[in-house]
Amino acid sequence: MLRTQVVQRLREVKGSTLAVTSPRAGEGKTLISCNLAVSLARLTDLGVLLVDLDLRRPSVLSTFGFAPTNGISDHLLRGVPLADCFVDPGIDRLLVLPGGAASPKSSELLSPVLMSKLTAELVDRHADRIIVYDLPPVLMIADALVFLEHVDACLLVVEQGRTRREDVTRCLELLEKINVIGTVLNKTRAATQTYGYGYGY
Ligand SMILES: Nc1ncnc2c1ncn2[C@@H]1O[C@H](COP(=O)(O)OP(=O)(O)OP(=O)(O)O)[C@@H](O)[C@H]1O
Ligand SMILES: [Mg+2]
């Protein structure tokens, strides 16, 4: 259901880049980014690039069960060529760009100058793919908000029973100029009961 709505809304805005964020830590951004990317890649007419931009705590690769490898922080801090950072997770039409080594400088790495260059390069090289960015939480990392200016659309993850109402309101105020195409209510009790382990879409 999430995939269908995302595809529809991206088409409406003629966009191909989507960021997944949430107000605070642990609300399910990474799991939803990964599941959504896999689900999008199953549509046979689409290729997908999943990018881990949560450089304070990159966790896309570990979510797929892979050991850490070079990624964006190694590219930005140590000059590792971007082309050497991509990982093939063994799922048709899906490519992953990992975050790399966790960086205490993560906020600086998300600077507008570096990010406009990176996003332009990714769109340029992967024009045929939907790009899904797993972002840090908007209310905790200032540059997550700035980064959102580089994407066509944004999904806001909210955790049932945990995300605070005022945090959602604050987020939506901050995201006023961003194309928020929807929110995902994650870890819902109903979904947990239906699917056993909680794909809370
Ligand atoms: N729908 C769900 N059902 C069950 N468990 C979930 C669900 N969504 C996320 N989780 C679990 O909750 C924890 C946090 O999820 P995840 O790492 O995706 O959140 P996050 O928002 O990316 O966190 P962080 O801010 O630390 O990056 C993980 O252990 C994940 O497996
Ligand atoms: Mg995460």
Side-chain angles (χ1 to χ4, degrees):
M1 283 168 64
L2 179 62
R3 171 183 71 183
T4 306
Q5 294 192 45
V6 163
V7 169
Q8 254 174 19
R9 291 179 200 188
L10 278 177
R11 273 196 195 124
E12 278 164 23
V13 297
K14 297 187 171 48
S16 63
T17 56
L18 172 80
V20 179
T21 189
S22 76
R24 297 197 180 272
E27 291 162 318
K29 298 173 287 298
T30 300
L31 196 65
I32 285 179
S33 306
C34 294
N35 277 326
L36 178 62
V38 169
S39 181
L40 286 166
R42 286 200 186 128
L43 291 172
T44 49
D45 56 339
L46 281 178
V48 182
L49 171 62
L50 172 60
V51 181
D52 191 345
L53 259 195
D54 196 345
L55 305 181
R56 78 204 155 116
R57 213 181 330 181
S59 54
V60 165
L61 271 193
S62 59
T63 300
F64 279 97
F66 293 116
T69 60
N70 281 334
I72 294 170
S73 63
D74 306 288
H75 168 64
L76 296 175
L77 289 170
R78 299 195 292 112
V80 174
L82 197 59
D84 295 346
C85 296
F86 292 91
V87 169
D88 174 358
I91 295 169
D92 286 349
R93 292 175 295 281
L94 178 62
L95 193 60
V96 172
L97 179 55
S103 171
K105 292 187 184 165
S106 65
S107 203
E108 290 154 51
L109 294 182
L110 287 192
S111 80
V113 175
L114 292 176
M115 287 303 114
S116 56
K117 190 165 168 275
L118 180 77
T119 49
E121 196 172 338
L122 292 178
V123 168
D124 197 41
R125 286 196 191 177
H126 300 276
D128 52 340
R129 292 180 189 262
I130 288 189
I131 305 182
V132 177
Y133 291 96
D134 178 21
L135 285 196
V138 179
L139 296 184
M140 297 173 75
I141 306 286
D143 284 328
L145 191 62
V146 179
F147 176 80
L148 286 167
E149 288 169 19
H150 299 290
V151 290
D152 300 317
C154 167
L155 267 185
L156 188 67
V157 177
V158 168
E159 182 177 339
Q160 187 175 49
R162 178 152 171 252
T163 306
R164 297 172 69 90
R165 185 184 296 262
E166 56 267 34
D167 283 351
V168 179
T169 309
R170 178 82 188 117
C171 257
L172 292 174
E173 282 166 10
L174 290 170
L175 298 174
E176 196 190 19
K177 296 208 175 87
I178 307 298
N179 181 23
V180 181
I181 57 167
T183 53
V184 179
L185 184 62
N186 191 28
K187 306 194 200 179
T188 61
R189 223 170 298 131
T192 309
Q193 281 160 6
T194 308
Y195 297 107
Y197 53 97
Y199 281 94
Y201 299 149

